[in-house]
Amino acid sequence: MRADEEALLSFDDVDVQIGDTPILHGITFDVRAGCTLGVVGESGSGKSMTALAAMRLLPRGATLSGAIRFDGRDLARLDERALQTIRGGDIGMIFQEPMTALNPLKTIGAQVAEGIRLHGVRRGDAERDGSDTDRRSGARAVGVAEAARLAAATLERAGLDNRAIPPGRYPHELSGGQRQRVVIAIAIACRPKLLIADEPTTALDVTTQAEILALLRELQREEGIALVLISHDLAVVADMADDLVVMKGGRVVDAGAFDTVFAATGSPYTRSLIAASNWAPESGARRASGGELLVVDDLVVGYPTGPRRLFGARDRFRAVDGVSFRVDAGESVGLVGESGCGKSTLTRALLGLVGVDAGTIRFAGGTMVEATSDGRRTARGDTVPRALRREIQVVFQDPYGSFDPRHRVERLVAEPLHLLDTRPSRSARRARVAAMLERVGIGSEAMRRYIHEFSGGQRQRIAIARALVVEPSLVVLDEAVSALDVSVRAQVLALLAELARDEGLAYLFISHDLSVVRNVTDRVLVMRTGRIVEAGNTARVFEAPEHAYTRELLAAVPTLPTPAR
């Protein structure tokens, strides 16, 4: 921090331990008033624990030493009653997963109003709204009606039009980006001096991410809010941060002005993060593609919408509307598009998890799904032969959510083996699972453990092992690396590239991270409102996009600057 600038928040030699386990070690940095501090590091580096320490929301059994000074007060020395006036009032926090942060039983308006009623109307709010304020206390209590009015105005400020998305909506009725805007509205409702954003855009598509980041910039510019932005996406941080803190193993390894830390003079660990962010497969690492493997022809998948009718069928919304494409053997194809474009519905149709209204899905010359000639809807999975089910496997975005936590890894990885014509014996099954775990770099000793005992990157490797245990020809990767930090993401992508080269696998790579898609795919499909609006060689689409929507997506992608030499 420069000598002429004041620190709003300062960590001074902060240690945190839970029980006998040290978590944070001598954390020291400053957050300048009105500026953005980016905090980066791989999973387990202590980023989120540092944010929780600032809010004094540490887990039970945690002890904290050192000083955390905020606006002239040491938060480490305040009692719980004093902290309650600061949390949500002077310091707001945006959590990573909005569905976890929001109460599913309360309307979004009620959740924003709750903080306003707890902390009252501050002087700046009252002057802005034209109301009277007790100037001595700087805040006053508000009634239910006024809190509801202020909540509605705050939701508008966060980009949620009250006419289109009224405050009476519930969280499950909103998209991911809309829910994140609600969380932001809650955090800014009381005009905080400091906003802590913990991975606020991790699960969002690039256009929604750009909108959320633009909203945070606008709020910072208009309100003078200091922002702590925690992210594993270095490109996002580069686009936002004035200052940078790099963490590893609960320690700060680099800190200072962003340009200084990002330069080649940064620590080896910082340089390794930058290299991992720009990961690309080695030249010639991909195997040449073969003949047609998966062919989708004029596929239509719809959902009933609107009220039931006394006579006639309900209207149907076409989530997938006349989609046609192919994936060749050994080829990697990317599927991109913003939330709600139909990517997930198309994936479920390919896996036989939803029925189709029209069109066909053929795999390796055999028909997987075909709508009936009389126009009746095909029931989900009713025409997919078991042999073809084996040939297509999937790796989901959240490996923890896709595993049963009650079972050991051996059973989890062995689950798809029921698709084989002849089920292997117990000893053969164990040998097959052990070999596959070794293949993905986990080790056969993992068979005896439970999924909660592994890190996010290890869980994703186990998910890949489960997908490959039946030796498929095509693997659908549904946002398989979007929640991973850059170093783990690079490791998983390198593993996938190696498997494609050695095993001849084909991939359908579904992702909102266009930088990853650019590096790992041969062709790319761009999807919007249920249709494929552009398709072609990946290099051509990224360098010379033809459709306006593709250009819009590419313009929203944050870029990582080249470090100074």
Side-chain angles (χ1 to χ4, degrees):
M1 188 181 72
R2 292 182 281 272
D4 60 340
E5 291 180 311
E6 180 182 355
L8 178 65
L9 177 71
S10 293
F11 272 63
D12 186 6
D13 199 27
V14 173
D15 292 337
V16 171
Q17 67 178 47
I18 300 177
D20 297 327
T21 305
I23 304 297
L24 300 180
H25 311 268
I27 302 298
T28 300
F29 62 81
D30 295 320
V31 181
R32 295 184 285 151
C35 295
T36 298
L37 173 73
V39 182
V40 301
E42 57 194 351
S43 297
S45 63
K47 304 187 303 294
S48 294
M49 193 63 69
T50 300
L52 294 175
M55 297 287 283
R56 289 287 306 278
L57 292 174
L58 293 169
R60 182 176 299 176
T63 57
L64 182 150
S65 62
I68 305 175
R69 298 184 181 90
F70 172 76
D71 204 19
R73 289 178 288 181
D74 187 354
L75 301 181
R77 304 292 177 261
L78 296 182
D79 59 24
E80 183 62 23
R81 185 171 183 178
L83 288 167
Q84 287 176 359
T85 66
I86 294 174
R87 297 191 199 112
D90 292 320
I91 303 178
M93 188 160 184
I94 302 169
F95 294 95
Q96 177 175 355
E97 178 46 62
M99 273 303 280
T100 302
L102 296 174
N103 187 337
L105 302 179
K106 285 188 175 182
T107 64
I108 59 175
Q111 295 186 62
V112 178
E114 183 178 19
I116 295 173
R117 295 205 67 197
L118 283 172
H119 296 282
V121 176
R122 297 171 182 274
R123 182 183 301 174
D125 298 337
E127 291 172 349
R128 190 177 288 105
D129 296 323
S131 56
D132 294 328
T133 302
D134 182 349
R135 301 264 176 172
R136 291 170 296 178
S137 64
R140 65 171 174 80
V142 298
V144 174
E146 185 179 4
R149 177 177 62 81
L150 291 172
T154 304
L155 287 167
E156 286 268 9
R157 186 168 176 73
L160 295 174
D161 187 338
N162 292 168
R163 292 167 298 179
I165 305 171
R169 290 276 185 92
Y170 288 87
H172 71 271
E173 299 179 277
L174 308 181
S175 69
Q178 291 167 341
R179 287 194 288 264
Q180 194 62 287
R181 289 177 183 272
V182 175
V183 174
I184 292 174
I186 294 172
I188 67 171
C190 296
R191 302 296 201 275
K193 298 177 181 179
L194 173 67
L195 194 58
I196 300 174
D198 188 4
E199 300 278 10
T201 62
T202 294
L204 304 179
D205 61 69
V206 288
T207 51
T208 305
Q209 173 180 267
E211 292 169 0
I212 294 298
L213 295 176
L215 171 62
L216 292 176
R217 287 193 203 95
E218 178 185 351
L219 292 168
Q220 188 175 33
R221 182 178 65 251
E222 295 180 359
E223 301 291 336
I225 297 172
L227 176 64
V228 177
L229 178 62
I230 299 169
S231 179
H232 67 253
D233 192 330
L234 277 173
V236 167
V237 173
D239 198 38
M240 294 283 292
D242 303 295
D243 301 309
L244 183 65
V245 165
V246 182
M247 297 187 67
K248 179 185 181 183
R251 291 181 168 85
V252 173
V253 297
D254 266 324
F258 181 87
D259 292 340
T260 302
V261 176
F262 198 74
T265 54
S267 71
Y269 177 69
T270 301
R271 295 198 295 272
S272 73
L273 288 180
I274 296 170
S277 298
N278 294 318
W279 182 90
E282 296 178 5
S283 177
R286 296 174 187 154
R287 174 182 290 187
S289 59
E292 290 182 345
L293 184 66
L294 173 71
V295 179
V296 178
D297 186 23
D298 203 22
L299 192 70
V300 177
V301 182
Y303 297 103
T305 184
R308 293 185 180 276
R309 299 175 180 176
L310 183 60
F311 300 103
R314 297 169 67 183
D315 292 333
R316 296 186 68 81
F317 168 71
R318 287 192 171 193
V320 176
D321 189 6
V323 165
S324 299
F325 68 92
R326 78 176 199 281
V327 178
D328 292 341
E331 184 183 34
S332 181
V333 175
L335 177 62
V336 301
E338 59 192 352
S339 298
C341 70
K343 302 191 303 294
S344 295
T345 301
L346 175 59
T347 303
R348 289 194 289 268
L350 295 178
L351 297 172
L353 300 178
V354 297
V356 303
D357 293 337
T360 58
I361 303 173
R362 293 185 175 86
F363 188 87
T367 300
M368 288 183 62
V369 175
E370 185 172 19
T372 58
S373 57
D374 59 4
R376 288 188 295 108
R377 191 167 195 262
T378 302
R380 60 183 183 185
D382 63 351
T383 62
V384 182
R386 188 174 66 175
L388 293 183
R389 280 184 178 276
R390 166 192 169 178
E391 294 293 333
I392 301 181
Q393 294 296 305
V394 62
V395 178
F396 294 102
Q397 176 178 355
D398 179 10
Y400 191 72
S402 64
F403 286 124
D404 189 331
R406 299 171 299 175
H407 301 318
R408 297 181 191 272
V409 166
E410 178 185 353
R411 178 169 175 179
L412 296 176
V413 174
E415 281 178 345
L417 293 177
H418 75 277
L419 295 173
L420 299 178
D421 294 332
T422 303
R423 292 194 180 186
S425 65
R426 181 179 177 84
S427 60
R429 184 189 68 187
R430 287 180 61 85
R432 191 164 185 161
V433 170
M436 190 53 61
L437 288 171
E438 293 284 352
R439 184 71 180 87
V440 300
I442 289 294
S444 57
E445 66 276 3
M447 291 195 299
R448 299 185 295 274
R449 298 163 63 187
Y450 292 92
I451 198 66
H452 71 269
E453 300 179 66
F454 297 89
S455 68
Q458 290 172 326
R459 290 172 189 160
Q460 202 62 292
R461 288 174 180 267
I462 294 170
I464 293 171
R466 179 175 64 176
L468 299 183
V469 75
V470 290
E471 300 178 351
S473 302
L474 173 67
V475 177
V476 179
L477 300 159
D478 188 4
E479 300 283 7
V481 297
S482 63
L484 303 179
D485 62 65
V486 290
S487 55
V488 176
R489 182 182 70 185
Q491 294 168 12
V492 172
L493 291 175
L495 171 64
L496 292 173
E498 179 185 341
L499 292 169
R501 182 186 65 240
D502 296 346
E503 311 294 337
L505 288 173
Y507 294 130
L508 179 60
F509 204 103
I510 301 168
S511 179
H512 64 253
D513 191 333
L514 271 69
S515 61
V516 170
V517 170
R518 182 172 194 167
N519 286 335
V520 303
T521 62
D522 304 302
R523 288 190 299 114
V524 64
L525 313 170
V526 182
M527 195 169 186
R528 185 186 189 192
T529 60
R531 295 176 178 268
I532 302 295
V533 297
E534 186 163 358
N537 177 272
T538 300
R540 197 278 303 164
V541 170
F542 274 78
E543 293 169 9
E546 297 175 354
H547 197 277
Y549 177 67
T550 308
R551 293 193 291 271
E552 179 184 339
L553 284 179
L554 294 175
V557 179
T559 56
L560 193 63
T562 303
R565 295 293 178 187

